[in-house]
Amino acid sequence: YDENGEDVTSSYDLRPVAGIVDFTPRSIRITVEDKSGVYDGTPLTLHAYALDEATPLAEGDRIVAVFDDSRTDAGAAENVPEIRIFRDVADKSVEVTGNYHIDIAPGTLTVEKRPLVLGTADAEKVYDGAALTGEEGYVFLSGTSLVEGHTIRVVRSTALTDVGTAENLLEFAVSDAQGNDVTQNYSILLDMGTLKVTPRPLAVTSESGSRVYDGTAYSLAKFSVASDTPLAEGQTASVHTAAEQTDAGECENVLTVALSDADGKDVTAN
């Protein structure tokens, strides 16, 4: 236009020259929140994030975040969503993700082991040569419980055979409703009972005997066991030492008896 406002374009030889316009991606930073929970057999998820106020979107743009990460078993996992950015243009949603440089600070999903406190029972018996275990005796304590549908079983138990005491230490395994081993998702603490085997009473009566003096030592290694205090099944008794009498006279027939099991093991101390 001239000074009078007249269009004078035709008076010019206008030759367009192509230029290069360089757009750099817009940087934004997104922080995903953390979440933790106690194991309950279901996936732990969280669909929560925040856009750093220092890196806003271009006016009119909006974020669509898709979260696929989850954590079911005890442990930790990153929670990283797929971030896409859209702009509404003329009643249409246009994706403009390519115009952004997106920096994501991942969140963490943490599943803590489920606490389980079990009390094992006390058990006691008189020595009989068989192992004493307390694997059937346990209870849940401190209000702890299994996840619904889960079952628990004893996979290893303490056995006490000889006279003495031992802690009733049990090892457990937990399975889910499908039979999968999920023991690693539980923190099992034990309040242990005591196993106790007491000595077996044994009444032994030595026999009496006599003979004419002959200058040699006389001993009689014979005895009987009272019917109300029998030996443990499969075990035997034998004389270890016996009293001796050489000169004319008498003495008590004091015997020392040794006991053995079916394998020949000395079980006298029991």
Side-chain angles (χ1 to χ4, degrees):
Y1 295 90
D2 63 13
E3 60 185 5
N4 298 315
E6 297 291 332
D7 184 351
V8 292
T9 305
S10 60
S11 300
Y12 287 85
D13 181 14
L14 299 176
R15 298 179 183 181
V17 177
I20 298 176
V21 179
D22 186 15
F23 291 96
T24 58
R26 187 183 187 94
S27 294
I28 61 171
R29 180 173 176 78
I30 290 175
T31 301
V32 182
E33 295 182 16
D34 297 330
K35 185 177 182 180
S36 64
V38 175
Y39 172 77
D40 63 4
T42 62
L44 177 69
T45 61
L46 180 65
H47 300 173
Y49 66 91
L51 175 64
D52 193 327
E53 293 181 356
T55 60
L57 295 174
E59 186 175 352
D61 289 353
R62 57 185 172 84
I63 292 175
V64 175
V66 179
F67 287 82
D68 290 326
D69 293 326
S70 65
R71 181 78 188 186
T72 300
D73 292 332
E78 281 192 342
N79 189 21
V80 183
E82 178 189 4
I83 299 295
R84 301 174 69 186
I85 303 174
F86 293 85
R87 173 184 289 267
D88 294 328
V89 179
D91 297 328
K92 292 199 314 182
S93 186
V94 179
E95 184 170 1
V96 294
T97 308
N99 295 324
Y100 285 84
H101 172 73
I102 304 172
D103 180 20
I104 301 177
T108 302
L109 300 172
T110 303
V111 177
E112 300 169 358
K113 291 189 175 187
R114 188 178 186 89
L116 199 60
V117 183
L118 300 173
T120 63
D122 295 331
E124 180 177 342
K125 73 172 183 177
V126 174
Y127 173 78
D128 62 2
L132 172 66
T133 64
E135 61 185 50
E136 299 301 325
Y138 62 88
V139 294
F140 293 91
L141 301 176
S142 303
T144 59
S145 63
L146 295 170
V147 172
E148 185 176 357
H150 288 193
T151 56
I152 190 169
R153 68 186 188 281
V154 176
V155 294
R156 187 175 301 170
S157 61
T158 299
L160 181 64
T161 302
D162 293 332
V163 169
T165 60
E167 290 183 325
N168 186 14
L169 174 61
L170 302 179
E171 183 178 331
F172 295 89
V174 182
S175 301
D176 64 15
Q178 289 72 46
N180 300 310
D181 186 352
V182 292
T183 310
Q184 74 280 1
N185 293 314
Y186 288 84
S187 175
I188 302 176
L189 300 177
L190 296 180
D191 181 7
M192 290 181 285
T194 301
L195 302 177
K196 183 177 182 180
V197 175
T198 59
R200 186 178 188 88
L202 190 65
V204 176
T205 303
S206 61
E207 295 186 11
S208 299
S210 64
R211 78 170 188 185
V212 175
Y213 170 77
D214 64 2
T216 62
Y218 174 47
S219 64
L220 184 63
K222 293 184 178 181
F223 63 90
S224 61
V225 177
S227 60
D228 58 344
T229 61
L231 293 170
E233 185 176 354
Q235 297 188 357
T236 57
S238 60
V239 174
H240 180 60
T241 62
E244 294 182 345
Q245 180 74 21
T246 302
D247 296 331
E250 64 179 32
C251 69
E252 288 186 341
N253 188 15
V254 178
L255 304 178
T256 302
V257 176
L259 307 173
S260 302
D261 65 14
D263 297 321
K265 176 186 174 182
D266 186 348
V267 293
T268 308
N270 294 309

